PDB file of all heavy atoms in Angstrom:
ATOM      1  N   PRO A 802      68.042-113.773 -47.363  1.00 93.00           N
ATOM      2  CA  PRO A 802      67.408-115.098 -47.354  1.00 93.00           C
ATOM      3  C   PRO A 802      67.667-115.800 -45.997  1.00 93.00           C
ATOM      4  O   PRO A 802      68.786-115.671 -45.461  1.00 93.00           O
ATOM      5  CB  PRO A 802      68.072-115.909 -48.462  1.00 93.00           C
ATOM      6  CG  PRO A 802      68.714-114.902 -49.335  1.00 93.00           C
ATOM      7  CD  PRO A 802      69.034-113.717 -48.500  1.00 93.00           C
ATOM      8  N   LYS A 803      66.662-116.417 -45.435  1.00 95.00           N
ATOM      9  CA  LYS A 803      66.763-117.132 -44.199  1.00 95.00           C
ATOM     10  C   LYS A 803      66.083-118.460 -44.331  1.00 95.00           C
ATOM     11  O   LYS A 803      65.081-118.612 -45.055  1.00 95.00           O
ATOM     12  CB  LYS A 803      66.151-116.272 -43.048  1.00 95.00           C
ATOM     13  CG  LYS A 803      66.856-115.016 -42.696  1.00 95.00           C
ATOM     14  CD  LYS A 803      66.156-114.300 -41.551  1.00 95.00           C
ATOM     15  CE  LYS A 803      66.846-113.007 -41.262  1.00 95.00           C
ATOM     16  NZ  LYS A 803      66.207-112.313 -40.130  1.00 95.00           N
ATOM     17  N   PRO A 804      66.525-119.440 -43.586  1.00 96.00           N
ATOM     18  CA  PRO A 804      65.831-120.716 -43.516  1.00 96.00           C
ATOM     19  C   PRO A 804      64.556-120.559 -42.709  1.00 96.00           C
ATOM     20  O   PRO A 804      64.445-119.598 -41.950  1.00 96.00           O
ATOM     21  CB  PRO A 804      66.789-121.688 -42.922  1.00 96.00           C
ATOM     22  CG  PRO A 804      67.634-120.798 -42.014  1.00 96.00           C
ATOM     23  CD  PRO A 804      67.808-119.488 -42.722  1.00 96.00           C
ATOM     24  N   LEU A 805      63.641-121.539 -42.886  1.00 96.00           N
ATOM     25  CA  LEU A 805      62.458-121.586 -42.076  1.00 96.00           C
ATOM     26  C   LEU A 805      62.910-121.701 -40.647  1.00 96.00           C
ATOM     27  O   LEU A 805      63.873-122.335 -40.278  1.00 96.00           O
ATOM     28  CB  LEU A 805      61.610-122.747 -42.477  1.00 96.00           C
ATOM     29  CG  LEU A 805      60.216-122.837 -41.894  1.00 96.00           C
ATOM     30  CD1 LEU A 805      59.339-121.637 -42.513  1.00 96.00           C
ATOM     31  CD2 LEU A 805      59.493-124.187 -42.293  1.00 96.00           C
ATOM     32  N   SER A 806      62.155-121.112 -39.653  1.00 96.00           N
ATOM     33  CA  SER A 806      62.576-121.127 -38.314  1.00 96.00           C
ATOM     34  C   SER A 806      62.293-122.489 -37.577  1.00 96.00           C
ATOM     35  O   SER A 806      61.323-123.141 -37.948  1.00 96.00           O
ATOM     36  CB  SER A 806      61.862-119.976 -37.513  1.00 96.00           C
ATOM     37  OG  SER A 806      60.470-120.362 -37.312  1.00 96.00           O
ATOM     38  N   ARG A 807      63.103-122.723 -36.635  1.00 96.00           N
ATOM     39  CA  ARG A 807      62.932-123.979 -35.846  1.00 96.00           C
ATOM     40  C   ARG A 807      61.575-123.939 -35.129  1.00 96.00           C
ATOM     41  O   ARG A 807      60.911-124.977 -34.952  1.00 96.00           O
ATOM     42  CB  ARG A 807      64.072-124.142 -34.852  1.00 96.00           C
ATOM     43  CG  ARG A 807      63.984-125.302 -33.956  1.00 96.00           C
ATOM     44  CD  ARG A 807      65.184-125.478 -33.012  1.00 96.00           C
ATOM     45  NE  ARG A 807      65.136-126.626 -32.234  1.00 96.00           N
ATOM     46  CZ  ARG A 807      66.170-127.138 -31.602  1.00 96.00           C
ATOM     47  NH1 ARG A 807      67.393-126.660 -31.738  1.00 96.00           N
ATOM     48  NH2 ARG A 807      66.002-128.238 -30.851  1.00 96.00           N
ATOM     49  N   GLN A 808      61.207-122.759 -34.665  1.00 97.00           N
ATOM     50  CA  GLN A 808      59.983-122.545 -33.949  1.00 97.00           C
ATOM     51  C   GLN A 808      58.763-122.962 -34.776  1.00 97.00           C
ATOM     52  O   GLN A 808      57.803-123.597 -34.307  1.00 97.00           O
ATOM     53  CB  GLN A 808      59.846-121.158 -33.419  1.00 97.00           C
ATOM     54  CG  GLN A 808      58.593-120.898 -32.545  1.00 97.00           C
ATOM     55  CD  GLN A 808      58.581-121.812 -31.265  1.00 97.00           C
ATOM     56  OE1 GLN A 808      59.622-121.963 -30.618  1.00 97.00           O
ATOM     57  NE2 GLN A 808      57.442-122.395 -31.002  1.00 97.00           N
ATOM     58  N   ALA A 809      58.803-122.466 -36.065  1.00 97.00           N
ATOM     59  CA  ALA A 809      57.653-122.854 -36.967  1.00 97.00           C
ATOM     60  C   ALA A 809      57.585-124.354 -37.185  1.00 97.00           C
ATOM     61  O   ALA A 809      56.418-124.916 -37.179  1.00 97.00           O
ATOM     62  CB  ALA A 809      57.940-122.163 -38.357  1.00 97.00           C
ATOM     63  N   VAL A 810      58.618-125.014 -37.301  1.00 97.00           N
ATOM     64  CA  VAL A 810      58.679-126.449 -37.485  1.00 97.00           C
ATOM     65  C   VAL A 810      58.172-127.176 -36.272  1.00 97.00           C
ATOM     66  O   VAL A 810      57.326-127.996 -36.252  1.00 97.00           O
ATOM     67  CB  VAL A 810      60.063-127.002 -37.959  1.00 97.00           C
ATOM     68  CG1 VAL A 810      60.057-128.556 -38.051  1.00 97.00           C
ATOM     69  CG2 VAL A 810      60.489-126.355 -39.200  1.00 97.00           C
ATOM     70  N   SER A 811      58.708-126.718 -35.099  1.00 97.00           N
ATOM     71  CA  SER A 811      58.389-127.331 -33.821  1.00 97.00           C
ATOM     72  C   SER A 811      56.867-127.203 -33.533  1.00 97.00           C
ATOM     73  O   SER A 811      56.206-128.187 -33.081  1.00 97.00           O
ATOM     74  CB  SER A 811      59.167-126.665 -32.705  1.00 97.00           C
ATOM     75  OG  SER A 811      58.811-127.183 -31.455  1.00 97.00           O
ATOM     76  N   THR A 812      56.322-126.025 -33.807  1.00 97.00           N
ATOM     77  CA  THR A 812      54.883-125.790 -33.599  1.00 97.00           C
ATOM     78  C   THR A 812      54.014-126.618 -34.422  1.00 97.00           C
ATOM     79  O   THR A 812      53.009-127.292 -33.949  1.00 97.00           O
ATOM     80  CB  THR A 812      54.506-124.257 -33.819  1.00 97.00           C
ATOM     81  OG1 THR A 812      55.310-123.451 -32.975  1.00 97.00           O
ATOM     82  CG2 THR A 812      53.024-124.065 -33.665  1.00 97.00           C
ATOM     83  N   ALA A 813      54.397-126.845 -35.677  1.00 98.00           N
ATOM     84  CA  ALA A 813      53.613-127.693 -36.578  1.00 98.00           C
ATOM     85  C   ALA A 813      53.703-129.198 -36.153  1.00 98.00           C
ATOM     86  O   ALA A 813      52.678-129.884 -36.155  1.00 98.00           O
ATOM     87  CB  ALA A 813      54.126-127.522 -38.023  1.00 98.00           C
ATOM     88  N   PHE A 814      54.861-129.588 -35.786  1.00 98.00           N
ATOM     89  CA  PHE A 814      55.075-131.006 -35.390  1.00 98.00           C
ATOM     90  C   PHE A 814      54.276-131.285 -34.105  1.00 98.00           C
ATOM     91  O   PHE A 814      53.600-132.354 -34.022  1.00 98.00           O
ATOM     92  CB  PHE A 814      56.476-131.282 -35.100  1.00 98.00           C
ATOM     93  CG  PHE A 814      57.389-131.545 -36.348  1.00 98.00           C
ATOM     94  CD1 PHE A 814      56.873-131.143 -37.598  1.00 98.00           C
ATOM     95  CD2 PHE A 814      58.639-132.058 -36.308  1.00 98.00           C
ATOM     96  CE1 PHE A 814      57.632-131.366 -38.808  1.00 98.00           C
ATOM     97  CE2 PHE A 814      59.468-132.328 -37.459  1.00 98.00           C
ATOM     98  CZ  PHE A 814      58.936-131.954 -38.661  1.00 98.00           C
ATOM     99  N   LYS A 815      54.288-130.379 -33.157  1.00 97.00           N
ATOM    100  CA  LYS A 815      53.579-130.565 -31.911  1.00 97.00           C
ATOM    101  C   LYS A 815      52.048-130.691 -32.201  1.00 97.00           C
ATOM    102  O   LYS A 815      51.368-131.583 -31.585  1.00 97.00           O
ATOM    103  CB  LYS A 815      53.896-129.466 -30.950  1.00 97.00           C
ATOM    104  CG  LYS A 815      53.169-129.565 -29.652  1.00 97.00           C
ATOM    105  CD  LYS A 815      53.540-128.445 -28.658  1.00 97.00           C
ATOM    106  CE  LYS A 815      52.806-128.621 -27.333  1.00 97.00           C
ATOM    107  NZ  LYS A 815      53.149-127.547 -26.366  1.00 97.00           N
ATOM    108  N   ALA A 816      51.557-129.830 -33.021  1.00 98.00           N
ATOM    109  CA  ALA A 816      50.126-129.817 -33.408  1.00 98.00           C
ATOM    110  C   ALA A 816      49.686-131.110 -34.006  1.00 98.00           C
ATOM    111  O   ALA A 816      48.673-131.690 -33.645  1.00 98.00           O
ATOM    112  CB  ALA A 816      49.804-128.646 -34.261  1.00 98.00           C
ATOM    113  N   VAL A 817      50.482-131.621 -34.987  1.00 98.00           N
ATOM    114  CA  VAL A 817      50.114-132.919 -35.625  1.00 98.00           C
ATOM    115  C   VAL A 817      50.313-134.018 -34.604  1.00 98.00           C
ATOM    116  O   VAL A 817      49.560-134.989 -34.678  1.00 98.00           O
ATOM    117  CB  VAL A 817      50.978-133.056 -36.890  1.00 98.00           C
ATOM    118  CG1 VAL A 817      50.934-134.497 -37.422  1.00 98.00           C
ATOM    119  CG2 VAL A 817      50.524-132.099 -37.940  1.00 98.00           C
ATOM    120  N   GLY A 818      51.298-133.926 -33.737  1.00 97.00           N
ATOM    121  CA  GLY A 818      51.499-134.955 -32.741  1.00 97.00           C
ATOM    122  C   GLY A 818      50.300-135.106 -31.853  1.00 97.00           C
ATOM    123  O   GLY A 818      49.906-136.241 -31.483  1.00 97.00           O
ATOM    124  N   GLU A 819      49.645-133.993 -31.571  1.00 97.00           N
ATOM    125  CA  GLU A 819      48.416-134.038 -30.759  1.00 97.00           C
ATOM    126  C   GLU A 819      47.271-134.741 -31.503  1.00 97.00           C
ATOM    127  O   GLU A 819      46.495-135.433 -30.861  1.00 97.00           O
ATOM    128  CB  GLU A 819      48.026-132.596 -30.364  1.00 97.00           C
ATOM    129  CG  GLU A 819      49.004-131.990 -29.356  1.00 97.00           C
ATOM    130  CD  GLU A 819      48.701-130.484 -29.049  1.00 97.00           C
ATOM    131  OE1 GLU A 819      47.792-129.945 -29.712  1.00 97.00           O
ATOM    132  OE2 GLU A 819      49.363-129.943 -28.161  1.00 97.00           O
ATOM    133  N   ILE A 820      47.245-134.597 -32.805  1.00 97.00           N
ATOM    134  CA  ILE A 820      46.219-135.235 -33.656  1.00 97.00           C
ATOM    135  C   ILE A 820      46.370-136.750 -33.592  1.00 97.00           C
ATOM    136  O   ILE A 820      45.411-137.495 -33.443  1.00 97.00           O
ATOM    137  CB  ILE A 820      46.240-134.676 -35.086  1.00 97.00           C
ATOM    138  CG1 ILE A 820      45.864-133.223 -35.119  1.00 97.00           C
ATOM    139  CG2 ILE A 820      45.312-135.549 -35.966  1.00 97.00           C
ATOM    140  CD1 ILE A 820      45.988-132.585 -36.440  1.00 97.00           C
ATOM    141  N   VAL A 821      47.620-137.200 -33.720  1.00 96.00           N
ATOM    142  CA  VAL A 821      47.916-138.626 -33.884  1.00 96.00           C
ATOM    143  C   VAL A 821      48.198-139.301 -32.520  1.00 96.00           C
ATOM    144  O   VAL A 821      48.393-140.484 -32.450  1.00 96.00           O
ATOM    145  CB  VAL A 821      49.009-138.986 -34.819  1.00 96.00           C
ATOM    146  CG1 VAL A 821      48.610-138.456 -36.270  1.00 96.00           C
ATOM    147  CG2 VAL A 821      50.363-138.276 -34.478  1.00 96.00           C
ATOM    148  N   GLY A 822      48.363-138.551 -31.442  1.00 95.00           N
ATOM    149  CA  GLY A 822      48.596-139.117 -30.087  1.00 95.00           C
ATOM    150  C   GLY A 822      50.022-139.463 -29.895  1.00 95.00           C
ATOM    151  O   GLY A 822      50.310-140.406 -29.201  1.00 95.00           O
ATOM    152  N   ILE A 823      50.947-138.686 -30.469  1.00 95.00           N
ATOM    153  CA  ILE A 823      52.437-139.011 -30.276  1.00 95.00           C
ATOM    154  C   ILE A 823      53.054-137.702 -29.800  1.00 95.00           C
ATOM    155  O   ILE A 823      52.776-136.638 -30.330  1.00 95.00           O
ATOM    156  CB  ILE A 823      53.074-139.432 -31.584  1.00 95.00           C
ATOM    157  CG1 ILE A 823      52.435-140.735 -32.114  1.00 95.00           C
ATOM    158  CG2 ILE A 823      54.563-139.657 -31.422  1.00 95.00           C
ATOM    159  CD1 ILE A 823      52.904-141.146 -33.477  1.00 95.00           C
ATOM    160  N   ASP A 824      53.977-137.735 -28.865  1.00 95.00           N
ATOM    161  CA  ASP A 824      54.800-136.637 -28.452  1.00 95.00           C
ATOM    162  C   ASP A 824      55.783-136.285 -29.541  1.00 95.00           C
ATOM    163  O   ASP A 824      56.888-136.751 -29.533  1.00 95.00           O
ATOM    164  CB  ASP A 824      55.487-136.803 -27.116  1.00 95.00           C
ATOM    165  CG  ASP A 824      54.489-136.914 -25.978  1.00 95.00           C
ATOM    166  OD1 ASP A 824      53.442-136.268 -26.016  1.00 95.00           O
ATOM    167  OD2 ASP A 824      54.730-137.749 -25.068  1.00 95.00           O
ATOM    168  N   LEU A 825      55.327-135.544 -30.553  1.00 96.00           N
ATOM    169  CA  LEU A 825      56.123-135.256 -31.737  1.00 96.00           C
ATOM    170  C   LEU A 825      56.900-133.920 -31.621  1.00 96.00           C
ATOM    171  O   LEU A 825      56.368-132.914 -31.128  1.00 96.00           O
ATOM    172  CB  LEU A 825      55.227-135.177 -32.901  1.00 96.00           C
ATOM    173  CG  LEU A 825      55.749-135.529 -34.285  1.00 96.00           C
ATOM    174  CD1 LEU A 825      56.208-136.986 -34.337  1.00 96.00           C
ATOM    175  CD2 LEU A 825      54.740-135.323 -35.310  1.00 96.00           C
ATOM    176  N   GLY A 826      58.174-133.971 -31.956  1.00 96.00           N
ATOM    177  CA  GLY A 826      58.972-132.761 -31.907  1.00 96.00           C
ATOM    178  C   GLY A 826      60.026-132.826 -32.970  1.00 96.00           C
ATOM    179  O   GLY A 826      60.037-133.769 -33.770  1.00 96.00           O
ATOM    180  N   THR A 827      60.880-131.815 -33.022  1.00 96.00           N
ATOM    181  CA  THR A 827      61.900-131.777 -34.101  1.00 96.00           C
ATOM    182  C   THR A 827      62.896-132.927 -33.967  1.00 96.00           C
ATOM    183  O   THR A 827      63.443-133.376 -35.012  1.00 96.00           O
ATOM    184  CB  THR A 827      62.601-130.432 -34.104  1.00 96.00           C
ATOM    185  OG1 THR A 827      63.195-130.178 -32.827  1.00 96.00           O
ATOM    186  CG2 THR A 827      61.657-129.351 -34.531  1.00 96.00           C
ATOM    187  N   HIS A 828      63.122-133.432 -32.786  1.00 95.00           N
ATOM    188  CA  HIS A 828      64.106-134.555 -32.626  1.00 95.00           C
ATOM    189  C   HIS A 828      63.455-135.881 -33.083  1.00 95.00           C
ATOM    190  O   HIS A 828      64.122-136.861 -33.250  1.00 95.00           O
ATOM    191  CB  HIS A 828      64.506-134.725 -31.192  1.00 95.00           C
ATOM    192  CG  HIS A 828      65.780-133.894 -30.831  1.00 95.00           C
ATOM    193  ND1 HIS A 828      67.009-134.335 -31.123  1.00 95.00           N
ATOM    194  CD2 HIS A 828      65.848-132.710 -30.237  1.00 95.00           C
ATOM    195  CE1 HIS A 828      67.853-133.367 -30.743  1.00 95.00           C
ATOM    196  NE2 HIS A 828      67.203-132.380 -30.221  1.00 95.00           N
ATOM    197  N   SER A 829      62.109-135.858 -33.286  1.00 96.00           N
ATOM    198  CA  SER A 829      61.426-137.187 -33.652  1.00 96.00           C
ATOM    199  C   SER A 829      61.909-137.706 -34.986  1.00 96.00           C
ATOM    200  O   SER A 829      61.957-138.912 -35.145  1.00 96.00           O
ATOM    201  CB  SER A 829      59.884-136.902 -33.639  1.00 96.00           C
ATOM    202  OG  SER A 829      59.363-136.567 -32.425  1.00 96.00           O
ATOM    203  N   MET A 830      62.299-136.833 -35.914  1.00 97.00           N
ATOM    204  CA  MET A 830      62.802-137.304 -37.183  1.00 97.00           C
ATOM    205  C   MET A 830      64.041-138.155 -37.060  1.00 97.00           C
ATOM    206  O   MET A 830      64.144-139.252 -37.557  1.00 97.00           O
ATOM    207  CB  MET A 830      63.070-136.103 -38.156  1.00 97.00           C
ATOM    208  CG  MET A 830      61.824-135.308 -38.462  1.00 97.00           C
ATOM    209  SD  MET A 830      62.207-133.829 -39.500  1.00 97.00           S
ATOM    210  CE  MET A 830      63.098-132.800 -38.300  1.00 97.00           C
ATOM    211  N   ARG A 831      64.956-137.576 -36.309  1.00 94.00           N
ATOM    212  CA  ARG A 831      66.289-138.271 -36.084  1.00 94.00           C
ATOM    213  C   ARG A 831      66.068-139.510 -35.240  1.00 94.00           C
ATOM    214  O   ARG A 831      66.677-140.554 -35.519  1.00 94.00           O
ATOM    215  CB  ARG A 831      67.142-137.285 -35.335  1.00 94.00           C
ATOM    216  CG  ARG A 831      68.578-137.674 -35.091  1.00 94.00           C
ATOM    217  CD  ARG A 831      69.325-136.360 -34.620  1.00 94.00           C
ATOM    218  NE  ARG A 831      70.510-136.670 -33.870  1.00 94.00           N
ATOM    219  CZ  ARG A 831      71.743-136.895 -34.380  1.00 94.00           C
ATOM    220  NH1 ARG A 831      71.819-136.914 -35.718  1.00 94.00           N
ATOM    221  NH2 ARG A 831      72.761-137.057 -33.646  1.00 94.00           N
ATOM    222  N   LYS A 832      65.227-139.441 -34.234  1.00 94.00           N
ATOM    223  CA  LYS A 832      64.953-140.615 -33.384  1.00 94.00           C
ATOM    224  C   LYS A 832      64.285-141.701 -34.175  1.00 94.00           C
ATOM    225  O   LYS A 832      64.538-142.896 -33.976  1.00 94.00           O
ATOM    226  CB  LYS A 832      64.072-140.201 -32.188  1.00 94.00           C
ATOM    227  CG  LYS A 832      64.805-139.285 -31.125  1.00 94.00           C
ATOM    228  CD  LYS A 832      63.886-139.158 -29.967  1.00 94.00           C
ATOM    229  CE  LYS A 832      64.651-138.335 -28.855  1.00 94.00           C
ATOM    230  NZ  LYS A 832      63.915-138.249 -27.569  1.00 94.00           N
ATOM    231  N   THR A 833      63.377-141.314 -34.996  1.00 96.00           N
ATOM    232  CA  THR A 833      62.651-142.263 -35.764  1.00 96.00           C
ATOM    233  C   THR A 833      63.489-143.127 -36.724  1.00 96.00           C
ATOM    234  O   THR A 833      63.414-144.310 -36.831  1.00 96.00           O
ATOM    235  CB  THR A 833      61.558-141.587 -36.623  1.00 96.00           C
ATOM    236  OG1 THR A 833      60.622-141.004 -35.696  1.00 96.00           O
ATOM    237  CG2 THR A 833      60.779-142.559 -37.512  1.00 96.00           C
ATOM    238  N   ARG A 834      64.452-142.438 -37.434  1.00 95.00           N
ATOM    239  CA  ARG A 834      65.387-143.136 -38.251  1.00 95.00           C
ATOM    240  C   ARG A 834      66.265-144.093 -37.532  1.00 95.00           C
ATOM    241  O   ARG A 834      66.467-145.250 -37.898  1.00 95.00           O
ATOM    242  CB  ARG A 834      66.159-142.200 -39.152  1.00 95.00           C
ATOM    243  CG  ARG A 834      67.064-142.946 -40.163  1.00 95.00           C
ATOM    244  CD  ARG A 834      67.489-142.132 -41.291  1.00 95.00           C
ATOM    245  NE  ARG A 834      68.112-142.903 -42.354  1.00 95.00           N
ATOM    246  CZ  ARG A 834      67.406-143.477 -43.313  1.00 95.00           C
ATOM    247  NH1 ARG A 834      66.099-143.322 -43.415  1.00 95.00           N
ATOM    248  NH2 ARG A 834      68.011-144.213 -44.248  1.00 95.00           N
ATOM    249  N   GLY A 835      66.717-143.615 -36.414  1.00 94.00           N
ATOM    250  CA  GLY A 835      67.591-144.482 -35.562  1.00 94.00           C
ATOM    251  C   GLY A 835      66.791-145.706 -35.062  1.00 94.00           C
ATOM    252  O   GLY A 835      67.342-146.823 -35.029  1.00 94.00           O
ATOM    253  N   TYR A 836      65.625-145.489 -34.561  1.00 94.00           N
ATOM    254  CA  TYR A 836      64.761-146.565 -34.093  1.00 94.00           C
ATOM    255  C   TYR A 836      64.492-147.637 -35.171  1.00 94.00           C
ATOM    256  O   TYR A 836      64.700-148.836 -34.963  1.00 94.00           O
ATOM    257  CB  TYR A 836      63.424-146.048 -33.617  1.00 94.00           C
ATOM    258  CG  TYR A 836      62.414-147.087 -33.168  1.00 94.00           C
ATOM    259  CD1 TYR A 836      62.513-147.658 -31.947  1.00 94.00           C
ATOM    260  CD2 TYR A 836      61.480-147.604 -34.065  1.00 94.00           C
ATOM    261  CE1 TYR A 836      61.616-148.677 -31.476  1.00 94.00           C
ATOM    262  CE2 TYR A 836      60.590-148.611 -33.672  1.00 94.00           C
ATOM    263  CZ  TYR A 836      60.717-149.152 -32.409  1.00 94.00           C
ATOM    264  OH  TYR A 836      59.854-150.154 -31.999  1.00 94.00           O
ATOM    265  N   HIS A 837      64.131-147.233 -36.392  1.00 94.00           N
ATOM    266  CA  HIS A 837      63.885-148.218 -37.443  1.00 94.00           C
ATOM    267  C   HIS A 837      65.087-148.871 -38.006  1.00 94.00           C
ATOM    268  O   HIS A 837      65.041-150.052 -38.385  1.00 94.00           O
ATOM    269  CB  HIS A 837      62.998-147.523 -38.519  1.00 94.00           C
ATOM    270  CG  HIS A 837      61.605-147.269 -38.092  1.00 94.00           C
ATOM    271  ND1 HIS A 837      60.646-148.285 -38.053  1.00 94.00           N
ATOM    272  CD2 HIS A 837      60.953-146.124 -37.745  1.00 94.00           C
ATOM    273  CE1 HIS A 837      59.501-147.728 -37.580  1.00 94.00           C
ATOM    274  NE2 HIS A 837      59.679-146.486 -37.397  1.00 94.00           N
ATOM    275  N   LEU A 838      66.209-148.143 -37.983  1.00 94.00           N
ATOM    276  CA  LEU A 838      67.441-148.789 -38.436  1.00 94.00           C
ATOM    277  C   LEU A 838      67.848-149.882 -37.377  1.00 94.00           C
ATOM    278  O   LEU A 838      68.252-151.001 -37.754  1.00 94.00           O
ATOM    279  CB  LEU A 838      68.589-147.814 -38.543  1.00 94.00           C
ATOM    280  CG  LEU A 838      69.951-148.375 -38.930  1.00 94.00           C
ATOM    281  CD1 LEU A 838      69.842-149.075 -40.285  1.00 94.00           C
ATOM    282  CD2 LEU A 838      70.978-147.249 -39.034  1.00 94.00           C
ATOM    283  N   TYR A 839      67.709-149.538 -36.094  1.00 93.00           N
ATOM    284  CA  TYR A 839      68.017-150.572 -35.060  1.00 93.00           C
ATOM    285  C   TYR A 839      67.071-151.794 -35.211  1.00 93.00           C
ATOM    286  O   TYR A 839      67.525-152.943 -35.099  1.00 93.00           O
ATOM    287  CB  TYR A 839      67.865-149.961 -33.655  1.00 93.00           C
ATOM    288  CG  TYR A 839      68.162-150.989 -32.559  1.00 93.00           C
ATOM    289  CD1 TYR A 839      69.458-151.444 -32.317  1.00 93.00           C
ATOM    290  CD2 TYR A 839      67.088-151.544 -31.852  1.00 93.00           C
ATOM    291  CE1 TYR A 839      69.668-152.378 -31.354  1.00 93.00           C
ATOM    292  CE2 TYR A 839      67.282-152.505 -30.934  1.00 93.00           C
ATOM    293  CZ  TYR A 839      68.598-152.967 -30.651  1.00 93.00           C
ATOM    294  OH  TYR A 839      68.810-153.863 -29.713  1.00 93.00           O
ATOM    295  N   ASN A 840      65.760-151.520 -35.354  1.00 90.00           N
ATOM    296  CA  ASN A 840      64.760-152.624 -35.513  1.00 90.00           C
ATOM    297  C   ASN A 840      65.111-153.500 -36.681  1.00 90.00           C
ATOM    298  O   ASN A 840      64.915-154.748 -36.662  1.00 90.00           O
ATOM    299  CB  ASN A 840      63.433-152.099 -35.647  1.00 90.00           C
ATOM    300  CG  ASN A 840      62.698-152.096 -34.300  1.00 90.00           C
ATOM    301  OD1 ASN A 840      63.268-152.413 -33.250  1.00 90.00           O
ATOM    302  ND2 ASN A 840      61.415-151.747 -34.274  1.00 90.00           N
ATOM    303  N   LYS A 841      65.670-152.916 -37.787  1.00 93.00           N
ATOM    304  CA  LYS A 841      65.914-153.669 -38.962  1.00 93.00           C
ATOM    305  C   LYS A 841      67.290-154.459 -38.807  1.00 93.00           C
ATOM    306  O   LYS A 841      67.380-155.581 -39.289  1.00 93.00           O
ATOM    307  CB  LYS A 841      66.079-152.687 -40.189  1.00 93.00           C
ATOM    308  CG  LYS A 841      66.446-153.375 -41.500  1.00 93.00           C
ATOM    309  CD  LYS A 841      66.596-152.407 -42.598  1.00 93.00           C
ATOM    310  CE  LYS A 841      66.948-153.034 -43.914  1.00 93.00           C
ATOM    311  NZ  LYS A 841      67.109-152.072 -45.001  1.00 93.00           N
ATOM    312  N   THR A 842      68.242-153.895 -38.126  1.00 92.00           N
ATOM    313  CA  THR A 842      69.605-154.458 -38.082  1.00 92.00           C
ATOM    314  C   THR A 842      70.024-155.089 -36.728  1.00 92.00           C
ATOM    315  O   THR A 842      70.873-155.961 -36.654  1.00 92.00           O
ATOM    316  CB  THR A 842      70.655-153.453 -38.470  1.00 92.00           C
ATOM    317  OG1 THR A 842      70.702-152.420 -37.438  1.00 92.00           O
ATOM    318  CG2 THR A 842      70.386-152.814 -39.826  1.00 92.00           C
TER     319      THR A 842
END
């Protein structure tokens, strides 16, 4: 058994980022939570 590859996730994120006009990558999840927590608090 192996986890899904980082490359597979990165490729999917980048493709969807191009659709919505955002530079989306695997770090975007972590950055997004940090950004919204800061905005809230």
Side-chain angles (χ1 to χ4, degrees):
K803 293 181 180 180
L805 194 65
S806 73
R807 177 175 183 163
Q808 184 60 45
V810 179
S811 179
T812 299
F814 281 14
K815 183 179 179 181
V817 166
E819 289 173 355
I820 293 173
V821 298
I823 299 172
D824 291 327
L825 207 62
T827 54
H828 272 277
S829 293
M830 297 177 289
R831 185 169 158 85
K832 290 186 176 190
T833 296
R834 186 162 189 84
Y836 175 83
H837 286 284
L838 179 60
Y839 177 76
N840 263 7
K841 180 180 178 181
T842 65

